[in-house]
Short mmCIF file of all heavy atoms in Angstrom, two decimals:
data_model
loop_
_atom_site.label_atom_id
_atom_site.label_comp_id
_atom_site.label_asym_id
_atom_site.label_seq_id
_atom_site.Cartn_x
_atom_site.Cartn_y
_atom_site.Cartn_z
N ASP A 7 -21.92 -8.54 121.12
CA ASP A 7 -22.56 -9.62 121.87
C ASP A 7 -21.58 -10.46 122.73
O ASP A 7 -21.98 -11.47 123.32
CB ASP A 7 -23.33 -10.57 120.95
CG ASP A 7 -22.47 -11.10 119.85
OD1 ASP A 7 -21.25 -10.85 119.79
OD2 ASP A 7 -23.03 -11.76 118.98
N LYS A 8 -20.33 -10.04 122.76
CA LYS A 8 -19.29 -10.68 123.60
C LYS A 8 -19.22 -12.16 123.33
O LYS A 8 -19.06 -12.96 124.26
CB LYS A 8 -19.64 -10.38 125.09
CG LYS A 8 -18.37 -10.66 126.01
CD LYS A 8 -18.81 -10.82 127.43
CE LYS A 8 -17.72 -11.46 128.26
NZ LYS A 8 -18.19 -11.89 129.53
N ASP A 9 -19.34 -12.60 122.09
CA ASP A 9 -19.22 -14.01 121.80
C ASP A 9 -17.90 -14.38 121.23
O ASP A 9 -17.57 -15.51 120.87
CB ASP A 9 -20.31 -14.44 120.78
CG ASP A 9 -20.15 -13.78 119.44
OD1 ASP A 9 -19.36 -12.87 119.25
OD2 ASP A 9 -20.88 -14.18 118.49
N GLY A 10 -16.93 -13.37 121.12
CA GLY A 10 -15.61 -13.61 120.65
C GLY A 10 -15.47 -13.83 119.13
O GLY A 10 -14.45 -14.25 118.66
N ILE A 11 -16.56 -13.53 118.40
CA ILE A 11 -16.56 -13.75 116.96
C ILE A 11 -16.81 -12.36 116.26
O ILE A 11 -17.73 -11.63 116.64
CB ILE A 11 -17.66 -14.75 116.56
CG1 ILE A 11 -17.37 -16.11 117.20
CG2 ILE A 11 -17.69 -14.89 115.03
CD1 ILE A 11 -18.48 -17.09 116.99
N GLN A 12 -16.02 -12.07 115.25
CA GLN A 12 -16.17 -10.85 114.56
C GLN A 12 -17.35 -10.95 113.57
O GLN A 12 -17.16 -11.33 112.44
CB GLN A 12 -14.88 -10.51 113.85
CG GLN A 12 -14.86 -9.13 113.18
CD GLN A 12 -13.46 -8.80 112.65
OE1 GLN A 12 -12.53 -9.56 112.87
NE2 GLN A 12 -13.34 -7.69 111.95
N ASP A 13 -18.52 -10.61 114.02
CA ASP A 13 -19.75 -10.68 113.20
C ASP A 13 -19.73 -9.62 112.16
O ASP A 13 -19.14 -8.51 112.36
CB ASP A 13 -20.97 -10.63 114.08
CG ASP A 13 -21.06 -11.69 115.14
OD1 ASP A 13 -20.74 -12.84 114.83
OD2 ASP A 13 -21.37 -11.36 116.30
N GLY A 14 -20.44 -9.81 111.09
CA GLY A 14 -20.46 -8.84 110.00
C GLY A 14 -21.02 -7.48 110.35
O GLY A 14 -20.66 -6.52 109.75
N THR A 15 -21.85 -7.39 111.37
CA THR A 15 -22.48 -6.09 111.76
C THR A 15 -21.65 -5.36 112.86
O THR A 15 -21.97 -4.25 113.14
CB THR A 15 -23.90 -6.33 112.30
OG1 THR A 15 -23.82 -7.27 113.41
CG2 THR A 15 -24.79 -6.93 111.25
N GLU A 16 -20.64 -6.02 113.35
CA GLU A 16 -19.84 -5.41 114.38
C GLU A 16 -18.71 -4.57 113.77
O GLU A 16 -18.02 -4.99 112.85
CB GLU A 16 -19.25 -6.52 115.32
CG GLU A 16 -20.36 -7.18 116.09
CD GLU A 16 -19.87 -8.33 116.91
OE1 GLU A 16 -18.81 -8.90 116.58
OE2 GLU A 16 -20.62 -8.71 117.83
N LEU A 17 -18.55 -3.39 114.34
CA LEU A 17 -17.68 -2.34 113.75
C LEU A 17 -16.32 -2.26 114.37
O LEU A 17 -16.13 -2.61 115.59
CB LEU A 17 -18.34 -0.97 113.78
CG LEU A 17 -19.74 -0.87 113.14
CD1 LEU A 17 -20.31 0.49 113.32
CD2 LEU A 17 -19.67 -1.28 111.68
N GLY A 18 -15.32 -1.86 113.62
CA GLY A 18 -13.99 -1.62 114.12
C GLY A 18 -13.95 -0.44 115.04
O GLY A 18 -14.82 0.48 114.99
N VAL A 19 -12.85 -0.34 115.84
CA VAL A 19 -12.68 0.71 116.82
C VAL A 19 -11.39 1.43 116.54
O VAL A 19 -10.30 0.85 116.52
CB VAL A 19 -12.63 0.22 118.27
CG1 VAL A 19 -12.48 1.34 119.21
CG2 VAL A 19 -13.89 -0.62 118.57
N ASN A 20 -11.45 2.69 116.13
CA ASN A 20 -10.28 3.50 115.85
C ASN A 20 -9.71 4.04 117.16
O ASN A 20 -10.37 4.09 118.18
CB ASN A 20 -10.64 4.66 114.91
CG ASN A 20 -10.86 4.23 113.51
OD1 ASN A 20 -10.45 3.16 113.10
ND2 ASN A 20 -11.45 5.07 112.69
N GLY A 21 -8.46 4.43 117.08
CA GLY A 21 -7.77 5.08 118.22
C GLY A 21 -7.23 4.16 119.23
O GLY A 21 -6.76 4.63 120.32
N VAL A 22 -7.17 2.86 118.97
CA VAL A 22 -6.60 1.89 119.96
C VAL A 22 -5.10 1.75 119.69
O VAL A 22 -4.65 1.49 118.54
CB VAL A 22 -7.33 0.50 119.83
CG1 VAL A 22 -6.66 -0.53 120.85
CG2 VAL A 22 -8.82 0.64 120.04
N THR A 23 -4.34 1.91 120.75
CA THR A 23 -2.91 1.74 120.62
C THR A 23 -2.49 0.27 120.55
O THR A 23 -2.97 -0.59 121.28
CB THR A 23 -2.19 2.35 121.86
OG1 THR A 23 -2.50 3.75 121.91
CG2 THR A 23 -0.67 2.14 121.78
N VAL A 24 -1.64 -0.06 119.50
CA VAL A 24 -1.20 -1.37 119.24
C VAL A 24 0.34 -1.37 119.26
O VAL A 24 0.97 -0.54 118.56
CB VAL A 24 -1.73 -1.94 117.94
CG1 VAL A 24 -1.33 -3.40 117.79
CG2 VAL A 24 -3.24 -1.75 117.83
N GLN A 25 0.98 -2.34 119.97
CA GLN A 25 2.40 -2.37 120.05
C GLN A 25 2.92 -3.67 119.42
O GLN A 25 2.33 -4.76 119.56
CB GLN A 25 2.90 -2.32 121.49
CG GLN A 25 2.53 -1.04 122.25
CD GLN A 25 2.78 -1.18 123.74
OE1 GLN A 25 2.78 -2.29 124.28
NE2 GLN A 25 2.97 -0.06 124.40
N LEU A 26 4.04 -3.59 118.69
CA LEU A 26 4.70 -4.76 118.19
C LEU A 26 5.97 -5.00 118.99
O LEU A 26 6.77 -4.13 119.22
CB LEU A 26 5.12 -4.50 116.69
CG LEU A 26 5.89 -5.76 116.05
CD1 LEU A 26 4.91 -6.87 115.83
CD2 LEU A 26 6.55 -5.33 114.76
N LYS A 27 6.05 -6.23 119.56
CA LYS A 27 7.17 -6.57 120.44
C LYS A 27 7.91 -7.81 119.87
O LYS A 27 7.35 -8.56 119.13
CB LYS A 27 6.67 -6.93 121.88
CG LYS A 27 5.89 -5.83 122.59
CD LYS A 27 5.38 -6.25 123.89
CE LYS A 27 4.63 -5.14 124.63
NZ LYS A 27 4.11 -5.60 125.93
N ASN A 28 9.16 -7.91 120.26
CA ASN A 28 9.92 -9.11 119.93
C ASN A 28 9.60 -10.20 120.92
O ASN A 28 8.79 -10.01 121.86
CB ASN A 28 11.38 -8.86 119.83
CG ASN A 28 12.02 -8.38 121.16
OD1 ASN A 28 11.43 -8.55 122.22
ND2 ASN A 28 13.18 -7.80 121.04
N ALA A 29 10.20 -11.38 120.77
CA ALA A 29 9.94 -12.50 121.64
C ALA A 29 10.27 -12.20 123.10
O ALA A 29 9.67 -12.83 124.01
CB ALA A 29 10.60 -13.74 121.14
N ALA A 30 11.16 -11.28 123.34
CA ALA A 30 11.53 -10.90 124.67
C ALA A 30 10.63 -9.88 125.32
O ALA A 30 10.84 -9.45 126.51
CB ALA A 30 12.97 -10.45 124.71
N GLY A 31 9.68 -9.36 124.53
CA GLY A 31 8.75 -8.38 125.09
C GLY A 31 9.19 -6.95 124.86
O GLY A 31 8.54 -6.06 125.44
N ILE A 32 10.24 -6.67 124.14
CA ILE A 32 10.68 -5.37 123.89
C ILE A 32 9.89 -4.71 122.78
O ILE A 32 9.66 -5.33 121.70
CB ILE A 32 12.18 -5.35 123.54
CG1 ILE A 32 12.98 -5.87 124.68
CG2 ILE A 32 12.64 -3.93 123.16
CD1 ILE A 32 14.48 -6.13 124.32
N VAL A 33 9.33 -3.50 123.02
CA VAL A 33 8.50 -2.80 122.04
C VAL A 33 9.40 -2.35 120.90
O VAL A 33 10.38 -1.63 121.06
CB VAL A 33 7.78 -1.63 122.72
CG1 VAL A 33 6.97 -0.87 121.63
CG2 VAL A 33 6.88 -2.09 123.83
N LEU A 34 8.98 -2.78 119.65
CA LEU A 34 9.71 -2.46 118.46
C LEU A 34 9.02 -1.32 117.72
O LEU A 34 9.70 -0.46 117.10
CB LEU A 34 9.82 -3.64 117.57
CG LEU A 34 10.48 -4.90 118.18
CD1 LEU A 34 10.42 -6.08 117.20
CD2 LEU A 34 11.89 -4.67 118.65
N GLN A 35 7.71 -1.36 117.63
CA GLN A 35 6.94 -0.32 116.91
C GLN A 35 5.62 -0.13 117.65
O GLN A 35 5.15 -1.02 118.39
CB GLN A 35 6.62 -0.75 115.48
CG GLN A 35 7.80 -1.00 114.52
CD GLN A 35 7.32 -1.32 113.14
OE1 GLN A 35 6.33 -0.70 112.62
NE2 GLN A 35 8.01 -2.25 112.51
N THR A 36 5.03 1.01 117.47
CA THR A 36 3.72 1.39 118.03
C THR A 36 2.92 2.00 116.96
O THR A 36 3.41 2.87 116.22
CB THR A 36 3.85 2.27 119.24
OG1 THR A 36 4.61 1.64 120.26
CG2 THR A 36 2.44 2.66 119.79
N THR A 37 1.62 1.68 116.87
CA THR A 37 0.70 2.32 115.90
C THR A 37 -0.66 2.51 116.59
O THR A 37 -0.86 2.08 117.78
CB THR A 37 0.53 1.45 114.64
OG1 THR A 37 -0.21 2.19 113.68
CG2 THR A 37 -0.16 0.18 114.92
N VAL A 38 -1.59 3.13 115.89
CA VAL A 38 -2.92 3.35 116.43
C VAL A 38 -3.91 2.91 115.36
O VAL A 38 -3.75 3.22 114.18
CB VAL A 38 -3.14 4.84 116.83
CG1 VAL A 38 -4.58 5.11 117.28
CG2 VAL A 38 -2.17 5.27 117.85
N THR A 39 -4.97 2.19 115.73
CA THR A 39 -5.98 1.73 114.80
C THR A 39 -6.66 2.94 114.09
O THR A 39 -6.91 3.97 114.71
CB THR A 39 -7.01 0.86 115.44
OG1 THR A 39 -7.67 1.55 116.51
CG2 THR A 39 -6.39 -0.43 115.98
N ALA A 40 -6.92 2.73 112.79
CA ALA A 40 -7.55 3.80 112.00
C ALA A 40 -8.35 3.13 110.90
O ALA A 40 -8.45 1.93 110.78
CB ALA A 40 -6.48 4.69 111.41
N ASN A 41 -8.97 3.95 110.04
CA ASN A 41 -9.74 3.40 108.92
C ASN A 41 -8.77 2.69 107.99
O ASN A 41 -7.67 3.15 107.64
CB ASN A 41 -10.43 4.53 108.16
CG ASN A 41 -11.58 5.10 108.95
OD1 ASN A 41 -12.16 4.49 109.85
ND2 ASN A 41 -11.95 6.33 108.64
N GLY A 42 -9.20 1.50 107.49
CA GLY A 42 -8.39 0.72 106.57
C GLY A 42 -9.17 0.33 105.36
O GLY A 42 -10.21 0.93 105.03
N PRO A 43 -8.73 -0.70 104.69
CA PRO A 43 -9.40 -1.05 103.41
C PRO A 43 -10.88 -1.44 103.50
O PRO A 43 -11.62 -1.21 102.56
CB PRO A 43 -8.54 -2.22 102.89
CG PRO A 43 -7.23 -2.09 103.59
CD PRO A 43 -7.52 -1.47 104.91
N THR A 44 -11.24 -2.00 104.65
CA THR A 44 -12.59 -2.47 104.81
C THR A 44 -13.36 -1.83 106.00
O THR A 44 -14.43 -2.28 106.36
CB THR A 44 -12.67 -4.01 105.02
OG1 THR A 44 -11.93 -4.32 106.18
CG2 THR A 44 -12.09 -4.72 103.81
N GLY A 45 -12.76 -0.76 106.55
CA GLY A 45 -13.47 -0.08 107.62
C GLY A 45 -12.54 0.37 108.74
O GLY A 45 -11.31 0.31 108.63
N ALA A 46 -13.19 0.70 109.85
CA ALA A 46 -12.42 1.24 111.03
C ALA A 46 -11.74 0.08 111.77
O ALA A 46 -12.00 -1.15 111.52
CB ALA A 46 -13.37 1.93 111.90
N GLY A 47 -10.81 0.44 112.67
CA GLY A 47 -10.14 -0.50 113.54
C GLY A 47 -8.93 -1.16 112.99
O GLY A 47 -8.37 -2.10 113.57
N TYR A 48 -8.44 -0.68 111.83
CA TYR A 48 -7.38 -1.36 111.09
C TYR A 48 -5.99 -0.96 111.61
O TYR A 48 -5.76 0.17 112.02
CB TYR A 48 -7.48 -0.93 109.63
CG TYR A 48 -6.43 -1.43 108.70
CD1 TYR A 48 -6.45 -2.72 108.17
CD2 TYR A 48 -5.42 -0.56 108.24
CE1 TYR A 48 -5.48 -3.16 107.34
CE2 TYR A 48 -4.45 -1.01 107.35
CZ TYR A 48 -4.46 -2.29 106.87
OH TYR A 48 -3.53 -2.76 106.01
N TYR A 49 -5.08 -1.88 111.70
CA TYR A 49 -3.68 -1.63 112.03
C TYR A 49 -2.81 -2.54 111.19
O TYR A 49 -3.23 -3.56 110.66
CB TYR A 49 -3.42 -1.83 113.50
CG TYR A 49 -3.20 -3.31 113.88
CD1 TYR A 49 -1.94 -3.84 113.91
CD2 TYR A 49 -4.26 -4.15 114.16
CE1 TYR A 49 -1.69 -5.20 114.25
CE2 TYR A 49 -4.05 -5.48 114.47
CZ TYR A 49 -2.78 -6.05 114.50
OH TYR A 49 -2.56 -7.34 114.77
#
């Protein structure tokens, strides 16, 4: 519903690339969202 709130019926999205950067913006690690303890979209 594009309200910016993670409602209980809204599902996670797998396969999204997520990067961890330091304060200077240098990429330290990269992962991809997958199924986690409570459902999809976990990183």
Side-chain angles (χ1 to χ4, degrees):
D7 53 6
K8 198 200 164 194
D9 65 350
I11 300 172
Q12 188 174 353
D13 303 315
T15 57
E16 294 174 338
L17 303 178
V19 182
N20 286 344
V22 178
T23 298
V24 187
Q25 298 169 335
L26 181 71
K27 300 177 180 179
N28 62 19
I32 297 172
V33 177
L34 305 175
Q35 296 184 43
T36 299
T37 189
V38 177
T39 58
N41 290 335
T44 60
Y48 177 78
Y49 80 94

